Amino acid sequence: MKVRSRKTQIDVEYLTQSIRECPKGSQIKIQRYERNSPSNSIRSSSSSPKKNKNTSIHFLHIGIANQILSIDKSSRTVTCEPDVTMEELVDALSSYDLVPTVVPEFKSLTIGGILAGAGLESSSFRYGQFADSLIEATYILSNGQIISCSPTKDSDLFYGALGSCGTFGILIRATLRVLDIPSDCFVRCNYHCTNQPIESILSFDNNEDYIDAIVFSNYTIMITGQRIDKLSIPKTGRIQRFSRPWNPWYYQHVKKICNKNILCEYIPLKDYLFRYDRGAFWMGRYPINPLQDKIQHLPLLIRNFLNLFPFGGYNIISRTILSPLFTTSSLYRRLHSSSTSMITDTLLIQDIYIPISKSKQFLSFLQSGQLFTNDDEILEPIWLCPIRSNSMPQKMSPHYLENDRDHLFINFGLWTHQHSWQPGSSSGKNATKILEKEAKRLGGRKMLYSLSFYSKEEWSTIYDMQWYRQMKNKWDPDYIWQDLYDKVVQKSI
């Protein structure tokens, strides 16, 4: 039974005609409708379509594309346009006691962006990436043809477009598999402190719905969750929210309650799904404490005292009054307004998938200090999220593993700034290059939303470029959607 049905807002006729009119030898740059949800991509303009004497840029205005077209409760499916955000999707489905299999944790991420790139969360150990719930996708190709593909129809495009950053066509519609959930759903979260995070992940209980971990400097907090209805919460159960301005940022909350030996609490489902949105995991700690680099040399006791002052650091006054500035979408807007060289020099922002058999080795490498030049620099926290590998031909996706010898990857969420990483230092770039080499050595891959510095030789040892060229020859022979390497790898920084 379809409980919702709407007509598309996308002007398909305009798009197909505009693509057909694209001059031969041109590349298309998509101009999306201005919306409140900024992209999470931080690739620089150096990886935009090439501007040279042989290549012109053809701008394509995609218009409004944020309709949820249908929800089918009986078949547990939803059909959407590409600019529907995660928050919009979750809100629409929750009215019918449904939820996506995987909900990437930032509210403003869009369906189209996640399918073209990558997206995971704490249910990924069971369901893989968000894209693994895709049932059917409709694209406009470089010749203006509209094609719907699935695992049984044009399956090479269906799988190959996932993780290929839009280099095979424009997504205009996607149908996804979703899950039933209890009415008035909560997540029972259990917290466990360990010094052996990889081993703890391997020993998880299959009855869990969610699993992730936060690695602090001296210990790791394992977090597991199960969906329950509100009536199942015991009278003495602790209910915690993360969506209101005065609520704590999740990673700070986890650190605090574990120090208090609080091992279980109950979180409304939407608050849980977007628990990392406020503060963008922990990257918000840098702008909320703008003097951090200048006071780094002071004793820890003094630094902690200064953090208590309003607007001097993370505290209840600062996070409440400044809450609108510290959602992930607000932080991304500020990041996008910064120069690429500033981001390159001062920040490390990477998600790297490592096969489970090599994950302990990679974690030891991260904690060894090899990324840094100063002894007092440390990479913490680190986010760990197990994800089921996939042997279907999503050959550009970070969790693709051809022989499926490791049933799991661990995604390492690595987002940091160090006090010595100042503009002009190239420190973030150097750390990223070191990470890329170590991940490659261990058979890992990274999400491609962030800065990449691979040489073409390195790139071709990670990705099957013979397959990619064959796919381009079939689906985009004139490369109007660009080449993936040229689109994502920085060359002029």
Side-chain angles (χ1 to χ4, degrees):
M1 178 181 64
K2 291 188 177 180
V3 296
R4 173 183 288 191
S5 182
R6 291 180 177 174
K7 292 183 178 180
T8 181
Q9 288 189 350
I10 299 176
D11 190 342
V12 175
E13 183 177 349
Y14 155 75
L15 291 176
T16 56
Q17 183 63 30
S18 183
I19 291 170
R20 292 190 183 107
E21 293 173 353
C22 180
K24 190 171 181 62
S26 297
Q27 290 182 337
I28 288 181
K29 183 173 178 61
I30 296 175
Q31 298 287 302
R32 295 195 176 273
Y33 179 77
E34 186 175 349
R35 60 178 191 261
N36 293 325
S37 52
S39 166
N40 74 323
S41 171
I42 56 173
R43 299 188 295 267
S44 77
S45 58
S46 70
S47 54
S48 296
K50 293 180 179 179
K51 295 182 179 180
N52 56 47
K53 62 182 180 180
N54 297 318
T55 304
S56 62
I57 306 303
H58 185 71
F59 290 95
L60 187 67
H61 297 272
I62 196 127
I64 300 173
N66 62 354
Q67 283 289 321
I68 296 176
L69 301 173
S70 68
I71 299 173
D72 193 322
K73 173 74 171 174
S74 60
S75 64
R76 295 189 294 277
T77 59
V78 58
T79 300
C80 308
E81 293 179 336
D83 284 351
V84 172
T85 67
M86 284 296 101
E87 183 175 30
E88 290 167 343
L89 182 62
V90 167
D91 285 346
L93 291 173
S94 65
S95 299
Y96 306 103
D97 296 333
L98 297 169
V99 72
T101 58
V102 176
V103 181
E105 61 286 328
F106 296 157
K107 294 179 179 180
S108 61
L109 295 176
T110 63
I111 288 173
I114 298 169
L115 294 176
L120 82 165
E121 239 295 330
S122 53
S123 60
S124 289
F125 75 98
R126 188 181 301 280
Y127 298 108
Q129 292 205 135
F130 175 82
D132 293 331
S133 66
L134 186 67
I135 297 171
E136 184 180 76
T138 302
Y139 294 93
I140 304 179
L141 304 179
S142 59
N143 61 2
Q145 179 186 359
I146 300 172
I147 184 169
S148 293
C149 54
S150 70
T152 58
K153 179 186 177 186
D154 293 311
S155 61
D156 58 341
L157 178 62
F158 176 80
Y159 291 114
L162 302 176
S164 294
C165 298
T167 58
F168 291 124
I170 298 178
L171 178 71
I172 60 172
R173 187 181 301 111
T175 299
L176 303 155
R177 176 171 51 90
V178 295
L179 302 173
D180 288 316
I181 57 172
S183 181
D184 203 0
C185 186
F186 276 66
V187 176
R188 180 176 60 227
C189 276
N190 292 293
Y191 302 95
H192 171 64
C193 186
T194 180
N195 289 317
Q196 296 182 312
I198 307 303
E199 292 86 347
S200 295
I201 288 173
L202 283 171
S203 64
F204 63 77
D205 187 340
N206 279 328
N207 292 323
E208 303 294 347
D209 294 311
Y210 304 106
I211 298 174
D212 68 325
I214 302 176
V215 181
F216 296 102
S217 56
N218 298 318
Y219 58 91
T220 296
I221 303 299
M222 289 291 305
I223 309 161
T224 60
Q226 287 184 322
R227 290 187 295 268
I228 62 170
D229 64 80
K230 188 175 182 179
L231 295 177
S232 300
I233 299 175
K235 291 182 179 180
T236 57
R238 173 191 172 99
I239 294 178
Q240 177 66 49
R241 299 185 66 95
F242 298 101
S243 57
R244 297 172 297 195
W246 56 88
N247 291 147
W249 294 358
Y250 186 66
Y251 89 99
Q252 291 278 13
H253 172 75
V254 169
K255 194 171 188 178
K256 184 176 181 179
I257 66 169
C258 289
N259 288 336
K260 292 183 175 180
N261 204 33
I262 298 173
L263 303 179
C264 179
E265 63 185 2
Y266 299 85
I267 306 172
L269 178 63
K270 185 177 177 180
D271 284 52
Y272 174 83
L273 295 175
F274 298 118
R275 65 202 182 282
Y276 290 115
D277 186 77
R278 293 172 62 249
F281 279 92
W282 34 85
M283 289 304 285
R285 64 181 173 171
Y286 304 113
I288 206 171
N289 189 355
L291 299 178
Q292 180 173 337
D293 290 347
K294 297 184 182 300
I295 66 172
Q296 188 66 29
H297 65 284
L298 298 177
L300 179 62
L301 184 63
I302 296 177
R303 280 182 278 149
N304 289 339
F305 176 72
L306 293 175
N307 280 339
L308 298 176
F309 287 89
F311 315 117
Y314 173 85
N315 55 61
I316 189 169
I317 298 176
S318 296
R319 71 173 183 257
T320 300
I321 296 176
L322 301 178
S323 182
L325 301 178
F326 287 93
T327 63
T328 296
S329 58
S330 295
L331 290 169
Y332 266 121
R333 285 193 190 92
R334 295 166 71 179
L335 193 64
H336 291 164
S337 68
S338 304
S339 68
T340 304
S341 60
M342 190 281 290
I343 297 172
T344 302
D345 291 341
T346 64
L347 297 173
L348 173 68
I349 301 177
Q350 299 289 330
D351 281 82
I352 298 182
Y353 292 28
I354 300 294
I356 188 70
S357 61
K358 302 291 185 180
S359 292
K360 188 174 181 179
Q361 187 176 347
F362 189 66
L363 181 58
S364 296
F365 163 78
L366 295 174
Q367 295 176 322
S368 69
Q370 295 181 54
L371 293 177
F372 309 124
T373 55
N374 297 334
D375 292 339
D376 62 339
E377 294 174 337
I378 184 172
L379 181 58
E380 75 92 26
I382 299 170
W383 189 50
L384 303 182
C385 186
I387 176 171
R388 189 188 68 189
S389 63
N390 194 311
S391 60
M392 303 306 291
Q394 303 179 29
K395 293 201 173 185
M396 295 300 170
S397 293
H399 71 325
Y400 171 72
L401 202 59
E402 186 170 5
N403 58 19
D404 216 14
R405 63 183 179 275
D406 282 291
H407 68 288
L408 284 177
F409 282 86
I410 300 293
N411 173 60
F412 289 78
L414 310 172
W415 317 294
T416 191
H417 162 76
Q418 303 295 321
H419 64 88
S420 67
W421 292 10
Q422 300 300 319
S425 67
S426 296
S427 298
K429 176 181 178 179
N430 294 336
T432 298
K433 286 185 170 182
I434 293 170
L435 276 176
E436 289 177 344
K437 290 184 183 299
E438 183 65 10
K440 174 177 170 292
R441 186 180 74 83
L442 297 176
R445 291 183 173 191
K446 55 188 278 186
M447 287 190 185
L448 297 176
Y449 70 88
S450 191
L451 302 177
S452 298
F453 300 98
Y454 295 115
S455 68
K456 282 198 172 182
E457 292 72 24
E458 290 171 326
W459 182 267
S460 63
T461 62
I462 299 169
Y463 301 102
D464 186 343
M465 296 316 296
Q466 181 179 355
W467 168 87
Y468 184 75
R469 285 190 292 269
Q470 290 173 348
M471 287 286 291
K472 291 292 281 186
N473 288 337
K474 180 177 180 180
W475 298 108
D476 180 27
D478 295 325
Y479 280 68
I480 74 165
W481 305 118
Q482 307 176 62
D483 175 80
L484 181 58
Y485 177 83
D486 291 337
K487 187 172 185 177
V488 305
V489 177
Q490 317 305 306
K491 307 173 195 64
S492 60
I493 300 174

